[in-house]
Amino acid sequence: MWWFRNNQGISLAETMLSLFMVFLVFGSLLPLAHEMHVRLELKKERLVAFETLHEAARTIASTGRTEGQRSVNGIVYSWQADGHCVEYVNFKGKQEHLCVE
């Protein structure tokens, strides 16, 4: 059957299977990896926000200041003593407001 093999002996089924594998990798696994990277980045920023709250508590106790800022990786974390809150703009451009209860 001539349509299953070409001159080099590669069949149509092998070609289609290879194309399917390429589409599988780039169509499902790559977007999944990107989503996991975005989630990890948001969690890192949230961790730094909590660290900022910790440092703010230490600053309030030692100096009595009631507000301040901290910059980490180009993101500015602003904190205030009343309410024990920190605000920042995440890497997606969304305003975040985090408070300790």
Side-chain angles (χ1 to χ4, degrees), residues 32 41 43 48 57 59 68 72 75 84 90 95:
L32 178 66
E41 198 64 35
K43 286 181 181 182
V48 173
T59 302
V72 178
I75 298 175
H84 303 290
N90 66 17
Q95 180 77 26

Side-chain angles (χ1 to χ4, degrees), residues 2-86:
W2 62 270
W3 59 85
F4 286 119
R5 300 217 176 256
N6 65 12
N7 294 341
Q8 288 83 27
I10 299 172
S11 71
L12 178 65
E14 290 172 341
T15 304
M16 295 306 287
L17 180 63
S18 298
L19 286 174
F20 173 74
M21 296 300 283
V22 168
F23 285 128
L24 179 70
V25 168
F26 289 104
S28 63
L29 297 179
L30 200 59
L32 178 66
H34 176 72
E35 179 65 28
M36 289 174 61
H37 176 71
V38 167
R39 286 183 184 176
L40 178 63
E41 198 64 35
L42 291 173
K43 286 181 181 182
K44 283 181 185 177
E45 290 176 356
R46 191 172 172 87
L47 173 68
V48 173
F50 278 114
E51 288 174 348
T52 302
L53 283 173
H54 176 73
E55 298 224 353
R58 290 175 50 195
T59 302
I60 292 167
S62 65
T63 65
R65 287 182 36 209
T66 60
E67 60 183 30
Q69 289 184 342
R70 178 181 180 211
S71 179
V72 178
N73 295 331
I75 298 175
V76 178
Y77 298 86
S78 301
W79 59 269
Q80 296 176 349
D82 42 319
H84 303 290
C85 296
V86 66

